[in-house]
Amino acid sequence: MSDIVILVTTHSKAARYLPAVREALDAFWPDRPPVRYLTDGGTAPATDIYIEDEREFVPLLAKGVARIKAEFPAATHVFHMLEDHCPLRTCDNSQFNAALREATARGFVNVAFPTYDWPWDYCDPIDRAFGEREVWKSIEIIEAAETKFGLVPLDYFRYYQIQPTIWHINYLAGLLAAAADRGITDPWKLECMQLPSPQQHYVSSYRWPTVHHGFLAQGKINAAAIKFVDTKIGKSIRRNLIKQAIGFESETLFDLNIMRLRVANRLSRMMN
């Protein structure tokens, strides 16, 4: 894995989660490529943290990619991950490495590890992860010796989705430059960007070990992520997330709060 670097992006408002992200990577992915963290501030400088004076996502990520190319001139790929998509259970290195080997051998520019169910065995005209738009006209799969890949439909409305993804570093740099030329700066517009003659994207059969939306959902700690954490080796990570969610490292109070929310939602539905 000497030709790939992990790039974890965050921003000043969420940089306080970086210690938890570090802990999660150490616990669940100890045998990993080198990591660099990218932010516009909110944390103290460190040798593995890139701090750039750029608040918008697209130009910030472009600067991070440029710094990786300068620091790791032999790197051909970058694995980009939002901070809240850090693994919450043990990463399967054999699956990750197989995807990287095949992507390199086949010249893939992009292989995403989805955090939600991908329609491998059926053709669903509705995107169940996001709702509404018709995207599945056919399901195409490439079977490799150690893994398989799904071809992302070219008309998928989030074709440039920000999932944990292996990117060819030059392709990602060019993609971000194309977004900048179109005045696109935020990640949501980047995901929905349309380019003429897009290069084929792929999804890996390996589902990334976290929950949909990661440990943050709408700026708040995602309760589903807390429940998903492997507590055998990530108990302190779970306690940290609970403290961020309710202010205390109490699993009992967290469970009671979840129960309270469920009762309130049920009563609200009954009243409506």
Side-chain angles (χ1 to χ4, degrees):
M1 294 191 288
S2 61
D3 52 359
I4 187 168
V5 179
I6 300 170
L7 181 62
V8 179
T9 52
T10 188
H11 53 84
S12 54
K13 291 183 179 180
R16 67 182 185 275
Y17 297 115
L18 284 184
V21 175
R22 288 180 185 274
E23 185 179 3
L25 286 171
D26 287 342
F28 298 123
W29 200 8
D31 185 17
R32 62 180 183 272
V35 183
R36 291 297 180 266
Y37 302 90
L38 174 65
T39 180
D40 65 318
T43 186
T47 56
D48 61 348
I49 295 179
Y50 298 154
I51 300 179
E52 295 288 346
D53 185 19
E54 180 56 71
R55 296 181 62 83
E56 298 292 343
F57 177 80
V58 169
L60 178 65
L61 181 54
K63 288 185 176 181
V65 171
R67 289 189 64 167
I68 284 180
K69 293 180 74 171
E71 184 180 357
F72 301 91
T76 57
H77 292 78
V78 60
F79 178 68
H80 173 249
M81 178 178 68
L82 298 174
E83 84 285 288
D84 63 333
H85 282 160
C86 67
L88 299 177
R89 294 182 182 177
T90 300
C91 291
D92 189 333
N93 249 351
S94 64
Q95 293 271 8
F96 182 87
N97 292 342
L100 176 59
R101 283 193 298 269
E102 291 291 341
T104 301
R106 296 170 183 262
F108 292 170
V109 296
N110 163 297
V111 175
F113 299 93
T115 59
Y116 54 89
D117 289 334
W118 193 264
W120 292 100
D121 302 315
Y122 62 95
C123 188
D124 191 341
I126 304 299
D127 186 322
R128 298 301 176 185
F130 298 100
E132 50 192 56
R133 306 196 188 185
E134 293 187 3
V135 291
W136 310 126
K137 293 182 175 63
S138 64
I139 301 297
E140 295 183 62
I141 295 175
I142 293 176
E143 296 279 357
E146 302 174 89
T147 187
K148 69 177 181 180
F149 302 95
L151 280 68
V152 181
L154 295 179
D155 57 354
Y156 181 40
F157 79 106
R158 292 185 186 269
Y159 192 73
Y160 300 99
Q161 59 180 320
I162 311 297
Q163 295 290 310
T165 298
I166 295 172
W167 297 88
H168 190 283
I169 195 166
N170 291 334
Y171 173 72
L172 178 57
L175 182 69
L176 296 170
D181 289 343
R182 288 161 174 77
I184 294 172
T185 59
D186 68 66
W188 303 279
K189 289 182 180 178
L190 175 66
E191 287 193 327
C192 299
M193 181 173 65
Q194 295 182 349
L195 295 178
S197 304
Q199 294 195 55
Q200 181 64 57
H201 287 190
Y202 301 85
V203 292
S204 168
S205 57
Y206 177 50
R207 181 168 175 171
W208 192 246
T210 187
V211 295
H212 187 38
H213 300 304
F215 69 70
L216 291 176
Q218 297 180 336
K220 298 180 180 179
I221 296 296
N222 186 355
I226 293 176
K227 294 179 180 179
F228 185 82
V229 175
D230 179 357
T231 55
K232 289 183 179 179
I233 58 177
K235 193 171 184 64
S236 66
I237 297 168
R238 189 173 191 270
R239 288 199 305 266
N240 190 340
L241 293 178
I242 288 174
K243 184 177 181 179
Q244 296 283 352
I246 64 173
F248 303 94
E249 289 187 8
S250 171
E251 297 196 18
T252 300
L253 287 177
F254 171 73
D255 291 338
L256 288 173
N257 188 56
I258 293 297
M259 187 180 301
R260 178 186 65 81
L261 292 174
R262 286 176 178 170
V263 171
N265 288 336
R266 189 174 303 162
L267 289 174
S268 177
R269 288 195 299 269
M270 291 173 62
M271 294 176 64
N272 294 329

